Amino acid sequence: MKSSLIINLKRVGDILSTSLLASKLKTESSDSHVTMLVYQEFEQTARLLPDVDEVITIDRKKLETFSKSNLFSDFYALNYLYETLSPLTQKRWDNAVNISNDLLSTRIISFLADEVEIISGISYGKDQSIKASSDWAIVYNDILPGRLNAPVHFQDVYQGMTTGETSLYEPTALKTKSKYDNQTATNFAKIREAYGNDESIRLIGIQAKTSTKSKDIPFGTLVQFIQLLKSQDKPWIPIILSAPTEKDREFIHRLNYKFDNKLISVESDMQALPSIVRNLDALVTPDTAIKHVADSMRVPTLEVSLGNSPLFKQGTINPESIILTHRIDLRERKPERDRHLLMPEDLMQSLHYLLEDHYRPHIEGGFTLYQPAYDKLGLRYVSVFGDIKPEVEAQRAIERSYLGKYLINDAQTDTLFPSFQRLKSEELQSWIEQEKAFITDASKALLRTLRALGKAKDPGSSPEYIIKSLDQLMSFSESGHVGALPLKVFRFKVENFFGKTQEENLQFFESHLFELKAETQSLISIVNDFENIVSKGRISRSRNKETARDVNNISTIEQ
Amino acid sequence: MGTSSNQTKPEYHVKEARNGSSIPVINGVHLHSSYDPQREAEAFVEKNISTLEKHRHILLLGLGFAYHLEKILEALSENHGNNFKVVVIEPNGHLLEEAKERGKLPSSKNVVYYTTADITKLYSQKELIEFLVGHPGILMHPASFNLNRAFFESFLSWNAKNTIEEARELPLNEEVQSFLAHYQDYVQFSELSEEVRTSSEISDLGHLFMGIQNMKQSSFNEQTENEV
């Protein structure tokens, strides 16, 4: 039997997001057994995943009480964690994946290391150095955390660092209970019947709230959106979805009051949710866990991404779904203020685009519609309508291209860059110049470090100069420029190498400085390609379908 | 039953209330109403009903002759069926013996008694620790609490010493004790963290120890956002 362990000490959405990885591990061989380690409060969610055979839990509240309350000796926390995890040490694991990648889960996977054949992700060695199982793991640990507009999706990172492959949209439906399936099917059939069983009836689920206010669709906007939905000719019926909490009930009561208590609302826990979602024709939701349920059940979704949620790392993965967000440079700067500018008409226009073929929505300034698309590096988000900032999109595209080259040896410039030809502008050119200037400065620092390394090899020389040069070089990795990416990888490797002799250290630095040089040249080549395509139009005209759509979309944006 | 008290016996006698029930009097303090202890117990439960409705697990501070305990059990049974537990802490072991002899203790299997005035011992009881870490509802029997205020306040605001020496006395797993055996008795948990963190070769349990240390220093939100 092939045993895999997924360590996932995160929340509902992150656990649902691991469904594709679990399926991949489950189908690796006919007798695969997949175990997931989660916090106890998310056990019910983990049990929904069809390819997870076993769920082991840690009682987080108990562990936190032991470790933080003055009443108890901290050693009780250690004792509890050891006793909880020791069953996992009683068997051999063919593979263990550190999905949550926080400090505790990384210590746990390191604790289990002796029983694991292959560790995927980040772990600590016996010498306490940080080990990355692959380049994907370095990207996950060192590049994505500093990138608000991440160029790759977590979905692909999970699979990349575990199997070396990137993802496709091949979800396996979450487990459902027949009593919930039957109950929902019956109730929703009654609704359709009440509207004359017309074929054009669409049941539109609307998630009322999230646990974070800044992510919620503002109350007034939500009310007006529902009014628009109800007032149009088409029989699109809003069904308000909520969790079984007092806060949600109060909210639904307030919302329903605005509609003379005639709104249809459904309250459900996690166990019943997949049955409800699968019976909807579409879902409109702020960025919360239900979007992952809809992805698993193949229900097209309008994700309204507000606040500071990591849109490009964890957005919907269904290519039929869309994401409506503030223009992403505005998200970063003033999300709270702009949140209230969301117009009900934008939601309505987006919904039409979601449900009707060939519909061309009009999205107000300051907002963008994105749609998931799949390329060789897995899932990416294409701006399909609305307002965009070319420089921000260009940075995403170049970073994705560089990571494609780094991770799968394919920069995909023909796929990622052509849409920018129509966005040629002085601002974009000026941005390219700035990026090139940064890379030039970083390259100079790299050459200085290489020279310092040469001197450091001289007998009796002081290591001071090489250390200073390395510090200066690595300071470039802190930046948000595209040129920082190769340096982040270099920094990770240098900071986690502990050579036993100076000679061993110098050899290591030398080989990795040359690796950095090659990576920087690869990035320069990508930036040059981008510049050529944008400014000189040097691009092959043979484009795939996605690229063609990119171009069409950008042209829409410009209109 | 828990361990028995070794403290000096206080001045103690039993008195009959107006309604004929016997009540203990310690150092002149009546632990129940000298008119109607059962009625007083009903009022106590009424006053604390929201705690009893909300919690299946109740920590009761002070036993007396258990009139209030009996009413508490009735309320818990009504709200939670047989799925509840009560832990009684009473520093005076003699009181428990007397209540038992007089047939005052309820026969429920859902009640556990701890009768020691030694708080360190209480916080070394594995079952009690497991119970307390589950955040039980806390009810204080007013007369008992006032009589033993210093003890109960000290119990509720206990500050675990967190030294290896103390840990050796705790009911910890053999492997955990074996891990701790490598370190000096005086070392505190926090100091041990520095030793483990900087050691050139870390043991398997050392990883878990560092994991706990990280958890101590951050909230769940911070943990889920912190990369290594």
Side-chain angles (χ1 to χ4, degrees), chain A residues 11 62 68 74 79 128, chain B residues 123 130 162 173 196 218 221:
Chain A
R11 296 167 188 275
K62 189 171 180 175
K68 289 182 180 173
D74 292 342
N79 195 68
Q128 307 221 50
Chain B
Y123 280 102
E130 285 292 325
N162 274 327
N173 189 285
V196 175
S218 57
N221 282 346

Side-chain angles (χ1 to χ4, degrees), chain A residues 39 60 106 210 214 252 264 350 384 388 392 496 511 521 528:
Chain A
Y39 281 132
R60 179 182 62 84
T106 304
T210 71
S214 63
I252 296 293
I264 302 166
S350 304
V384 286
I388 65 161
V392 182
N496 290 290
S511 72
Q521 281 165 346
N528 285 339

